[in-house]
Amino acid sequence: SRAQLGFVISCVKNVMEQEGFSRQKRGYRNINDIEVNMSDPLFTKQWYLINTGQADGTPGLDLNVAEAWQLGYTGKGVTIAIMDDGIDYLHPDLASNYNADASYDFSSNDPFPFPRYTDDWFNSHGTRCAGEVSAAANNNICGVGVAYNSKVAGIRMLDQPFMTDIIEASSISHMPQIIDIYSASWGPTDDGKTVDGPRELTLQAMADGVNKGRGGKGSIYVWASGDGGSYDDCNCDGYASSMWTISINSAINDGRTALYDESCSSTLASTFSNGRKRNPEAGVATTDLYGNCTLRHSGTSAAAPEAAGVFALALEANPNLTWRDMQHLSVLTSKRNQLHDEVHQWRRNGVGLEFNHLFGYGVLDAGGMVKMAKEWKTVPERFHCVAGSIQEVHKIQSGNKLVLAITTEACQGKDNFVRYLEHVQTVVTVNASRRGDLNINMTSPMGTKSILLSRRPRDDDSKVGFDKWPFMTTHTWGEDPRGTWVLEVGFQGDEPQRGVLKEWTLMLHGTQSAPYIDQIVRDYQSKLAMSKKEELEEELDEAVERSLKSLLSKNN
Ligand SMILES: *[C@@H]1O[C@H](CO)[C@@H](O)[C@H](O)[C@H]1NC(C)=O
Ligand SMILES: *[C@@H]1O[C@H](CO)[C@@H](O)[C@H](O)[C@H]1NC(C)=O
Ligand SMILES: *[C@@H]1O[C@H](CO)[C@@H](O)[C@H](O)[C@H]1NC(C)=O
Ligand SMILES: *[C@@H]1O[C@H](CO)[C@@H](O)[C@H](O)[C@H]1NC(C)=O
Ligand SMILES: *[C@@H]1O[C@H](CO)[C@@H](O)[C@H](O)[C@H]1NC(C)=O
Ligand SMILES: [Ca+2]
Ligand SMILES: [Ca+2]
Ligand SMILES: [Ca+2]
């Protein structure tokens, strides 16, 4: 309608004296207005850093790193570990930022996480991820990392015949006083039928990481949501859905979902992967094996390291940030921007925060994040409350969904009262004649619905079901949990199914005192103000359009 309006105006100009005015596409930024000048040959192709519409993308749809860089934040003093198939640390665009002391090879137990050679360059993943975070700037080589003055460590741990609990645990607890951020682009098989998560040692290592890492401020674990597409649900991936990880999904360069994106209520925010169009330059430009560069990195694998880079910028702005502060900052400063999910609406939760089932709270905004990080006050102590537990056998049948309710005071009057929510976990034990046809929704007392489990058409398990599986939602962030929570369990699919729910336990995690009431009010008010402003602008446009149309019809 904006393009049409421009057309109408230019027609009118010929008819009568009418002052012309320009309309700019929202979010449009001219690369010449951004004072970032890098000599790196791939820099202008890194649309996820500064999107001016390269490769058929949508201008302005980017991580807004330019603003963070201009404020002076480039990742200095922050170390990010890439837990993957190794890093080509001899690469001229990585060598100067490589932290050898913090690196290790758990696949072959030596201090040198160099990728194993194969003819098809299969083990290029870690090197590509490392470049997204820490590729050096202004050196005429490849592109520029999100946090181009940060240090990157290689943790090689994916390249052995079998994964073991001890390799995972060792990796995520490697040098937790030196490594600030761990980036993981792996997890249980994305085949749409696996339900799996961290085992005992890895769980313990994660708990230790967030409690003791970084001098007690907590290791930051960044996790790719998964590449299983609409057939999978990342709440069935216990790494992505963990409260201790920040789970990151991806958008393509025009704001739509990528075909491999999985949706789930535990995703916190999004970054970018490749374009859907077959434009060879729509991929993620970064470093590649053996000193090469590539334009073709992709997947939610590409998304997680971008987030790790943004978090490095925030940590430089404020090294005091805890692992929870980082999640709060992500919730508050991520933007809907021009992200578009054809399946799930954008909605506002009970405190006005806008979220989407696939993108979480939206795309990370590095500029917004460093500015808020700088002023940030550590969030108050976290409490855990078992809001209620139903441990009776309830039958579920196709066409007759089970609806259960837990009414809770959220431990009010006790030491562990939770008044302001962070994460909510719903622990469920359920079996079904076809697990993949199960779907579970939960609605909070403030009316926010989370889809805890979507249909997974490929999952035909009829034996195991979910055994005390913790489904997690981030959608109720900031809400008051007191009141009635409603769980709906049903079947979707072609064949009639039956099942039995044996347990629903509702766990609330959050603070007693208002975490950042000033920030949240300010944020909500500015969002409101902005949406009003846009409404006003739209009204104005419509009024202009109407009067011009009527003028035109009179003159014809
Ligand atoms: C960017 O840097 C290049 C090489 O140093 C220089 O030729 C060019 O004029 C610079 N452009 C701007 C806009 O500063
Ligand atoms: C990678 O780099 C090497 C050496 O610089 C070069 O010979 C080779 O052609 C490059 N390969 C690709 C696929 O770009
Ligand atoms: C970090 O914490 C220290 C000690 O509490 C404090 O002196 C310093 O101002 C804090 N820095 C920021 C950026 O908040
Ligand atoms: C589910 O569990 C109930 C009770 O333990 C059992 O009777 C039923 O056969 C199970 N159903 C399936 C599909 O496993
Ligand atoms: C859960 O919500 C989805 C999306 O609104 C809906 O399609 C589905 O029928 C709901 N399932 C249950 C069991 O209520
Ligand atoms: Ca090695
Ligand atoms: Ca470079
Ligand atoms: Ca998955």
Side-chain angles (χ1 to χ4, degrees), residues 121 288-293:
W121 288 22
D288 207 351
L289 284 177
Y290 317 124
N292 295 77
C293 316

Side-chain angles (χ1 to χ4, degrees), residues 394-552:
H394 290 275
K395 288 193 177 131
I396 320 152
Q397 256 178 318
S398 289
N400 186 13
K401 72 179 175 193
L402 172 68
V403 181
L404 296 174
I406 287 178
T407 300
T408 180
E409 284 299 308
C411 302
Q412 188 166 13
K414 298 191 193 136
D415 288 347
N416 59 332
F417 174 39
V418 173
R419 167 63 184 79
Y420 299 92
L421 283 175
E422 291 175 356
H423 312 86
V424 173
Q425 289 176 304
T426 256
V427 182
V428 166
T429 298
V430 62
N431 69 9
S433 46
R434 192 167 196 285
R435 183 172 63 188
D437 287 357
L438 269 175
N439 66 99
I440 307 178
N441 298 334
M442 181 171 69
T443 305
S444 72
M446 293 186 93
T448 304
K449 180 161 121 180
S450 300
I451 302 171
L452 298 180
L453 174 67
S454 305
R455 178 166 185 252
R456 295 198 307 160
R458 292 175 183 163
D459 178 7
D460 57 11
D461 165 83
S462 61
K463 293 196 174 71
V464 184
F466 292 95
D467 184 16
K468 288 190 179 290
W469 187 258
F471 294 97
M472 196 268 274
T473 179
T474 58
H475 298 340
T476 50
W477 203 273
E479 289 191 358
D480 181 348
R482 290 171 295 179
T484 300
W485 293 76
V486 175
L487 192 76
E488 296 167 285
V489 189
F491 286 109
Q492 285 172 333
D494 306 329
E495 303 291 324
Q497 308 294 347
R498 51 179 55 244
V500 175
L501 182 132
K502 294 164 193 169
E503 177 183 353
W504 170 31
T505 299
L506 181 63
M507 316 262 293
L508 311 172
H509 309 270
T511 61
Q512 242 156 62
S513 39
Y516 39 60
I517 198 71
D518 293 346
Q519 277 102 323
I520 204 167
V521 166
R522 235 186 295 137
D523 186 65
Y524 187 28
Q525 280 171 346
S526 77
K527 273 185 186 168
L528 269 183
M530 264 161 57
S531 66
K532 275 200 190 119
K533 198 172 137 226
E534 279 179 25
E535 267 168 40
L536 285 178
E537 280 178 28
E538 241 134 53
E539 272 169 35
L540 183 68
D541 291 350
E542 275 161 25
V544 169
E545 200 163 357
R546 263 199 313 277
S547 63
L548 286 174
K549 272 183 185 159
S550 77
L551 274 175
L552 265 181

